[in-house]
Each structure stands twice: as C-alpha cells, then as structure tokens.
C-alpha cells in the first residue's frame, strides 16, 4: 500500500519561509510527475507547482519567483520551498504523485501565514 507522508507546514509571519516535504512509501513504481496543490478555506483546490520526470517545472503565476519545487528520485520525495510567504498563501497543501496509471495524494498539511 502506498502512503504519502507530508511534513513542514505550520504558522509563519508574512515574509517568512517554510519547506514542505512529501515522501512516498510502499510499492510505488513508475513515478512520473510530482506536485503540490493547495486549498484555501472556501476555495477550490488549485495546482501550485509541478515537476515532471525530466525535471521540468511549472508554477501557478501567484507563486512564481517565490516557491521552488524539487524532487529526490532516490527517496521518492518531493519538496516545496516557499519564500516570501504572503497571507494569501494560507491553505492546506497537498502533495500529488502520478505513478503509472495511479494518482496518489498526501493527507494535507496546514500552512498559515499571519500578517
């Protein structure tokens, strides 16, 4: 059984930084894209950042220049470095891993940015 375990969320002041991690365990094969999504209260879930198997990345416009996604294939782990955080970044952040024909989601980690 595949599990995605997230860590690194928390409370930070505006302008601060956090680093999220998401490690996949279990029998997971053929990992393709890895990414982070977020859902703020009362809003739809949106994709924040994505990194392909080749290492190419893309970001939602609102985080470009502030967030960096990376992956460690040997550890089946994806990271999200978040700098210059803003109150509007407050949300539950979910990692997503596409492997073979499956899509796996993390349990979510709360990020709260105070003004």
């Amino acid at each position: 059984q595949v599990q995605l375990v997230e860590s690194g969320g928390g409370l930070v002041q505006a302008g601060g930084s956090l680093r999220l991690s998401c490690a996949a365990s279990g029998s997971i094969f053929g990992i393709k894209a890895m990414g982070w999504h977020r859902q703020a209260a009362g809003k739809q879930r949106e994709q924040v950042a994505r990194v392909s198997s080749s290492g190419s990345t893309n970001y939602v416009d609102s985080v470009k220049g502030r967030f960096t996604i990376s992956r460690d294939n040997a550890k089946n782990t994806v990271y999200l470095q978040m700098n210059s955080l803003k109150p509007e970044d407050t949300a539950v952040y979910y990692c997503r891993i596409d492997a073979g024909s499956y899509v796996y989601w993390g349990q979510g980690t709360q990020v709260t940015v105070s003004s």
Side-chain angles (χ1 to χ4, degrees), residues 56-90:
S56 62
T57 58
N58 55 61
Y59 300 89
V60 68
D61 285 347
S62 59
V63 308
K64 285 180 180 177
R66 300 187 297 121
F67 290 10
T68 302
I69 190 171
S70 61
R71 60 190 285 170
D72 184 333
N73 293 326
K75 296 181 179 180
N76 290 340
T77 299
V78 60
Y79 304 96
L80 187 68
Q81 178 67 44
M82 305 185 293
N83 298 328
S84 302
L85 282 161
K86 303 176 180 180
E88 51 263 43
D89 295 318
T90 295

Side-chain angles (χ1 to χ4, degrees), residues 7-77:
S7 61
L11 173 64
V12 65
Q13 287 189 329
S17 299
L18 286 173
R19 187 188 192 217
L20 305 183
S21 299
C22 172
S25 62
S27 300
I28 186 167
F29 303 100
I31 293 178
K32 297 182 287 188
M34 306 174 86
W36 290 91
H37 295 238
R38 68 185 178 187
Q39 187 166 19
K43 295 188 177 181
Q44 288 190 325
R45 189 176 296 190
E46 66 171 350
Q47 179 176 287
V48 175
R50 179 183 180 274
V51 56
S52 72
S53 56
S54 66
S56 62
T57 58
N58 55 61
Y59 300 89
V60 68
D61 285 347
S62 59
V63 308
K64 285 180 180 177
R66 300 187 297 121
F67 290 10
T68 302
I69 190 171
S70 61
R71 60 190 285 170
D72 184 333
N73 293 326
K75 296 181 179 180
N76 290 340
T77 299

